[in-house]
Amino acid sequence: MTDTTPETGPKLAPTTWVNPLTPWGTAGQDDVTSVQAPDPRQPWDENTAYKAKTYKVGRLKHYIVWPAHGAKLWDRWRWWPTRRNLLHIKGLYNRKTLKAEKKILDRRPVYWAICLLLLAIAPFFFPESMENTLLSAGAIFGIFAAINVCWTLIVGTASIFSLASYAVVGVAAFLTTWLSANMGLPWYTLPLIGAFMGLAMGAIIAIPALRLDGFYYALLTLGLNELCRVFFTTSSEFGSASGGLYGADTYISDQWEPYAQSLTGYYGAFLLMIASLFLFRFINGKRLGRILRMAPEKREAFAEACGVDYRRARVTIFVLTSAALGFIGGFYAAQFGGVAFQIFSFDTVLLGLAMITIGGIGKAEGAILGTLVVTVLDKVMIDWGPIRHFSIGLIMLGVVLFLSNGYFGIKKQFNAWRDKKRGEWRSIRSEKGGEALPEEATEQDDKDELFFRRFDKMQRDYLKGLICPEIIEEHRRQPLGQHSEALERVCYYFRRAPMEDKYALHHDHAKDRYKIIAFSGKRGVSPRVVDDREYDNVGDAYHAIFIRRVHDLMES
Amino acid sequence: MDITFVIINAIVVASIYGLLAVAVSITWSSLGLINLGYGFVFSFAGYCAYVVAENVSEFPAVVAAAGILGGALAGVMICLLVFIPLHDKPNFTTRGMIGTLAISLIGSQALLMYFGPRAKSLPEIFGFWSVKIFGTVLTSDKIGIVVCSIIMLIVVVMWMRGSRRGLEIRAMMMNPHAASIVGIGIRSTGIYVMAMTGAMAGLAAVLLSQTYYIAPFSGLTPLIKGVSIALCGGLGSVSGAVIAAVILGLTEAITSRYLGGQYVLITQFLVIITILIVRPRGIAGLLDKAREQ
């Protein structure tokens, strides 16, 4: 029987076990070759140790906690005439010190204020050598940021994928320039007239948007842009010869010194950008925006069933924003005294798309960051030559390939990725074999069962390490009585097995022979015969059962 | 200007733009990718043909083959850079479109940096001869352009109908999800589709360069025309694209005959908008069966 000895894992240290019953002379055998049983707590410690690698970052937001001013935890003070608090602040008592504290739950207004302040004071820190370049780039940045914020409203909030925003701006700019040059309109009327033109144009372009799906509309508006370009480039009234139309009245006087002119242009564009941000806030953050947040793409039917008239909301936003774009067009004319055909070119649309993509479509901060990046590359790094557009294209491609929604979508994307990875690691950690998988465990009502299975697995792992030829030989020589520690541990485990399918011996009195049977574990159901083999004496039979159990253990 | 002359011109131009339209259409319907990078494919193929004509041989078949191969190469490049990394990511349609636009920006700038802004011209592929039919003089390049694009279209349609790959592409058009379940690889099919449509754009580039020049940004107008035709005919339908090309070609001819050349785009655009308002998915597109992706 002993030749079926299984090969076990690491070799255990051999030892000689002295039977403590030796002095009384009742021990069957005195000195037994056995193995040193390792500490049984070891597998428990190994299994219950927390092995997942931990990092500092976590899902918890790390808020800065500020001391409260005065004894009050919170107050109802609001900014007249709105119903708003300045910041979303939560008051709380410190659990240890019981002092009143507060934390700012939404810190975005703080960041906005800091960034806008930086932009406002930036002209005073521009280096002398690049002052002119930077100021004119800043003016262009302000105007394009305003356009892109409006465009974000159309593409993000209204989810109308229109590529004709620059066309609206361009048409308004050309027409107002023409009106100002030919009819002598003063500069302050240009944005208003532009706004009406934008409104009219928006209303016309919105008609197909009612019927067409997102990308059909995108392609259509791309064509519209090209149509505007060809129309204005070829018509002689709009200065087809000079590359643009100039001569509008402008709010920047020629008599001022150049620095003052540039500075006025910078701050004019800056104010326009702030105005567009307010427009964004008042459309995206109020009723229209909230309605449309309920009706994202492909879930329109659900929103409609809930009573949301999303088409109306989208077209309203589109028309309002087109009016704003027309206003920007008029402002453009009033700022630069005219407009070039460049505004209709495919490159402008491409760069604009790069601007709103880099920061993340649908967010005002994304539009402004993208505009900043692209403007700095395009207008400040002029000595780079054609590499500028090349690198803008590379950034755009990189953003599209690696980020699901631009720079400001990184946080969300990273969290989603981390959750996915966590799930993967968790499923790697849970090994099978007696132990329950996490998804099974949630369906098991009796959690004791789970703990028992876990413990049982650890115990079996430990006992498997103890099985070796020495203890099998020891058992063969003396199946009953006291054994060495290693064998004793194995035997205890075997004896404690549940009654179901537990091995036992059947003694045939007539022939005085033994057979191995297995209990059914159910009352009234007779045991089954496991093996036809019969044994002459009870010791051999015990050992045969032991070998069987060792086999079962090693295979579990 | 004679009306027949104008109509012939319109047919010639429409057959070139029709090729691009069919390419845009097939890419959209089988891969769900709005490829706005055909402008770059177009210029790239044109420059390939130019380089081969300058350095290797001016033999017409060689130049045309260089253009077609260059187009296929650029198409595969777009597929590897944009379609394969992005096709299973969220917001694929938007990101794919912007990605192809980025490729087009990068590619055009690279061509500009390498070849300079000066336009290049290709040798006359079809020689100098003319035929007089029913009192109209047809020059060699016009006949050649129309015949070549019709042959290319027929070859593509036959290939799509008859071959194993064509069957896979048509399966992807019908239902991309089910196609991938029955073992049609989205990525490999993507490479075939982009190579084939790129080859069509390459041929269109070679044909158009018989009339115009090759420049880094010369692909833009054909792209916009092709996209408009594809849109009007219904994305995903070859026959619709052909009908739309004919309609828009006729519109162009009639407008430039009776109103003047500068109104061509306006009337074309009005026609497109009218068609799209009546049938939002184009002439041959089905109303309820948008491609889900």
Side-chain angles (χ1 to χ4, degrees):
Chain A
M1 275 314 243
T2 47
D3 56 322
T4 57
T5 308
E7 285 299 316
T8 53
K11 207 73 184 142
L12 296 170
T15 178
T16 309
W17 176 69
V18 182
N19 196 327
L21 299 177
T22 311
W24 286 272
T26 53
Q29 46 186 345
D30 298 339
D31 292 354
V32 179
T33 324
S34 178
V35 290
Q36 192 95 48
D39 187 354
R41 283 171 299 188
Q42 200 182 328
W44 170 264
D45 291 340
E46 275 170 14
N47 270 284
T48 50
Y50 190 67
K51 277 170 294 196
K53 202 175 175 193
T54 50
Y55 299 95
K56 273 272 194 226
V57 291
R59 187 191 293 276
L60 292 172
K61 285 188 169 179
H62 298 289
Y63 291 105
I64 304 169
V65 179
W66 307 86
H69 298 102
K72 270 195 296 186
L73 207 55
W74 57 277
D75 61 35
R76 224 184 252 284
W77 191 72
R78 289 167 196 274
W79 289 85
W80 187 88
T82 70
R83 291 166 54 75
R84 311 246 159 244
N85 295 103
L86 182 58
L87 287 170
H88 188 191
I89 290 178
K90 189 184 176 200
L92 71 165
Y93 289 109
N94 188 319
R95 283 192 190 170
K96 285 186 182 165
T97 63
L98 296 181
K99 277 183 188 155
E101 286 173 347
K102 60 187 178 186
K103 51 187 182 183
I104 304 172
L105 292 184
D106 187 359
R107 282 172 295 183
R108 281 175 301 175
V110 180
Y111 298 141
W112 269 112
I114 292 173
C115 292
L116 290 178
L117 190 72
L118 282 180
L119 278 178
I121 60 171
F124 303 104
F125 297 96
F126 286 160
E128 196 76 37
S129 55
M130 295 187 67
E131 200 159 52
N132 218 3
T133 320
L134 284 175
L135 278 177
S136 57
I140 290 171
F141 161 72
I143 290 179
F144 274 69
I147 298 175
N148 288 331
V149 167
C150 292
W151 195 6
T152 298
L153 269 178
I154 296 178
V155 175
T157 311
S159 12
I160 297 175
F161 214 98
S162 162
L163 297 178
S165 297
Y166 283 93
V168 175
V169 174
V171 168
F174 265 101
L175 293 181
T176 48
T177 309
W178 187 83
L179 282 177
S180 177
N182 290 344
M183 301 169 72
L185 292 179
W187 64 265
Y188 47 85
T189 55
L190 299 187
L192 295 176
I193 294 173
F196 279 109
M197 283 168 183
L199 191 70
M201 205 167 156
I204 295 171
I205 310 177
I207 296 171
L210 289 173
R211 292 273 288 174
L212 291 183
D213 261 10
F215 290 94
Y216 285 75
Y217 193 70
L219 300 180
L220 187 73
T221 45
L222 194 64
L224 186 78
N225 199 56
E226 180 71 1
L227 165 70
C228 291
R229 186 180 73 81
V230 172
F231 179 76
F232 281 98
T233 327
T234 52
S235 66
S236 51
E237 296 94 50
F238 294 104
S240 56
S242 56
L245 184 65
Y246 289 94
D249 188 25
T250 156
Y251 68 90
I252 302 170
S253 168
D254 284 345
Q255 275 103 49
W256 301 343
E257 53 182 296
Y259 179 68
Q261 284 185 25
S262 309
L263 209 60
T264 319
Y266 181 89
Y267 281 110
F270 182 68
L271 288 181
L272 184 73
M273 188 183 89
I274 303 264
S276 74
L277 284 174
F278 269 102
L279 180 80
F280 187 87
R281 175 70 184 79
F282 280 105
I283 289 182
N284 188 49
K286 295 229 168 195
R287 190 160 177 278
L288 281 172
R290 291 194 168 261
I291 282 178
L292 287 176
R293 222 157 296 153
M294 178 156 179
E297 236 175 299
K298 300 206 176 136
R299 272 192 277 159
E300 284 102 344
F302 173 69
E304 201 167 19
C306 295
V308 169
D309 192 354
Y310 68 91
R311 283 199 194 85
R312 192 193 172 100
R314 279 183 187 174
V315 171
T316 314
I317 291 183
F318 188 82
V319 172
L320 281 179
T321 312
S322 295
L325 286 170
F327 183 92
I328 296 170
F331 186 90
Y332 190 99
Q335 167 122 358
F336 297 110
V339 58
F341 295 126
Q342 183 68 26
I343 191 116
F344 292 121
S345 79
F346 188 61
D347 264 10
T348 312
V349 176
L350 255 180
L351 290 187
L353 209 54
M355 290 174 193
I356 61 171
T357 317
I358 288 172
I361 292 176
K363 298 187 175 94
E365 60 264 40
I368 289 188
L369 177 84
T371 315
L372 189 66
V373 170
V374 173
T375 318
V376 166
L377 275 176
D378 192 26
K379 304 283 178 207
V380 181
M381 310 293 181
I382 295 170
D383 43 344
W384 284 16
I387 307 255
R388 289 174 300 160
H389 285 201
F390 193 77
S391 51
I392 291 172
L394 281 183
I395 293 177
M396 193 170 163
L397 189 63
V399 165
V400 161
L401 287 186
F402 298 111
L403 304 180
S404 65
N405 194 15
Y407 175 79
F408 285 101
I410 287 182
K411 195 173 166 191
K412 202 173 161 195
Q413 194 183 356
F414 173 72
N415 284 343
W417 174 81
R418 191 175 55 187
D419 280 357
K420 192 182 102 192
K421 285 291 164 200
R422 267 189 193 153
E424 286 173 13
W425 291 330
R426 196 178 299 132
S427 60
I428 287 170
R429 277 204 301 278
S430 61
E431 306 146 40
K432 253 198 140 172
E435 215 182 342
L437 287 174
E439 51 267 31
E440 289 173 54
T442 53
E443 286 161 17
Q444 175 79 263
D445 281 331
D446 185 2
K447 302 297 181 213
D448 262 3
E449 181 70 20
L450 299 173
F451 280 101
F452 173 72
R453 273 156 74 177
R454 190 171 180 202
F455 175 76
D456 196 45
K457 175 167 187 284
M458 281 182 227
Q459 200 171 23
R460 269 182 281 128
D461 284 346
Y462 171 74
L463 293 177
K464 275 181 199 174
L466 294 183
I467 305 293
C468 59
E470 285 87 349
I471 68 165
I472 289 173
E473 174 61 17
E474 185 190 346
H475 188 274
R476 193 188 62 75
R477 278 165 43 195
Q478 190 191 12
L480 299 179
Q482 191 151 6
H483 300 119
S484 67
E485 188 192 349
L487 180 57
E488 203 74 342
R489 283 186 183 278
V490 175
C491 285
Y492 274 142
Y493 179 75
F494 288 161
R495 288 169 191 155
R496 214 198 56 218
M499 288 307 274
E500 191 181 345
D501 264 351
K502 190 174 189 176
Y503 296 120
L505 287 181
H506 174 254
H507 183 209
D508 186 351
H509 282 284
K511 291 190 270 177
D512 193 24
R513 291 171 79 80
Y514 297 88
K515 257 188 190 174
I516 299 178
I517 56 171
F519 291 132
S520 66
K522 290 195 196 87
R523 205 178 178 85
V525 178
S526 49
R528 67 186 164 89
V529 177
V530 175
D531 201 355
D532 280 343
R533 187 163 171 182
E534 294 182 342
Y535 299 91
D536 292 332
N537 65 53
V538 71
D540 283 353
Y542 275 135
H543 188 63
I545 289 184
F546 179 76
I547 292 295
R548 239 170 215 293
R549 285 178 177 161
V550 166
H551 269 287
D552 291 354
L553 171 71
M554 297 311 280
E555 276 162 21
S556 70
Chain B
M1 246 197 299
D2 187 18
I3 182 74
T4 43
F5 177 75
V6 171
I7 286 181
I8 287 164
N9 261 354
I11 288 174
V12 167
V13 173
S15 60
I16 294 176
Y17 294 154
L19 271 183
L20 264 181
V22 171
V24 169
S25 199
I26 289 175
T27 318
W28 159 254
S29 56
S30 60
L31 307 184
L33 177 72
I34 298 182
N35 191 351
L36 296 183
Y38 279 121
F40 161 66
V41 174
F42 197 87
S43 324
F44 185 81
Y47 275 106
C48 276
Y50 166 76
V51 167
V52 167
E54 287 287 299
N55 299 323
V56 182
S57 151
E58 291 208 356
F59 186 67
V62 174
V63 175
I68 292 174
L69 285 181
L73 185 69
V76 171
M77 227 147 65
I78 290 183
C79 181
L80 294 181
L81 275 173
V82 176
F83 177 72
I84 287 182
L86 278 183
H87 72 92
D88 49 356
K89 300 276 166 31
N91 295 341
F92 162 62
T93 336
T94 321
R95 287 165 77 183
M97 192 181 93
I98 295 172
T100 54
L101 278 175
I103 296 266
S104 137
L105 182 66
I106 295 171
S108 310
Q109 291 295 331
L111 289 178
L112 180 67
M113 280 194 281
Y114 192 74
F115 289 102
R118 278 188 58 187
K120 316 280 189 218
S121 63
L122 280 189
E124 298 283 343
I125 291 180
F126 303 112
F128 300 96
W129 44 268
S130 56
V131 187
K132 201 162 182 181
I133 301 173
F134 305 123
T136 319
V137 178
L138 294 176
T139 50
S140 57
D141 57 331
K142 284 178 184 160
I143 296 175
I145 286 172
V146 173
V147 168
C148 273
S149 41
I150 288 175
I151 288 175
M152 183 76 182
L153 208 56
I154 288 174
V155 166
V156 165
V157 169
M158 296 291 276
W159 184 72
M160 294 260 293
R161 287 220 181 126
S163 74
R164 186 82 199 167
R165 304 281 161 253
L167 184 66
E168 289 180 4
I169 294 173
R170 281 185 295 136
M172 286 272 289
M173 280 182 172
M174 276 183 172
N175 190 335
H177 188 66
S180 67
I181 287 174
V182 297
I184 295 171
I186 292 179
R187 296 164 192 219
S188 53
T189 315
I191 290 179
Y192 297 129
V193 169
M194 295 295 281
M196 184 191 72
T197 53
M200 291 166 81
L203 180 70
V206 173
L207 294 182
L208 196 68
S209 62
Q210 299 301 306
T211 325
Y212 298 103
Y213 292 104
I214 300 163
F217 302 101
S218 63
L220 179 64
T221 316
L223 170 72
I224 288 177
K225 293 255 185 180
V227 161
S228 315
I229 293 171
L231 199 60
C232 198
L235 287 174
S237 156
V238 175
S239 51
V242 171
I243 296 172
V246 172
I247 290 180
L248 292 182
L250 283 179
T251 317
E252 184 173 341
I254 293 169
T255 314
S256 48
R257 175 73 179 81
Y258 293 105
L259 293 174
Q262 70 267 39
Y263 297 105
V264 165
L265 265 174
I266 298 179
T267 48
Q268 270 192 349
F269 209 68
L270 287 178
V271 168
I272 293 173
I273 289 187
T274 318
I275 290 176
L276 284 182
I277 286 178
V278 177
R279 290 184 72 88
R281 298 206 187 277
I283 296 169
L286 295 173
L287 192 59
D288 303 322
K289 267 183 72 181
R291 189 183 193 284
E292 291 287 330
Q293 181 98 29

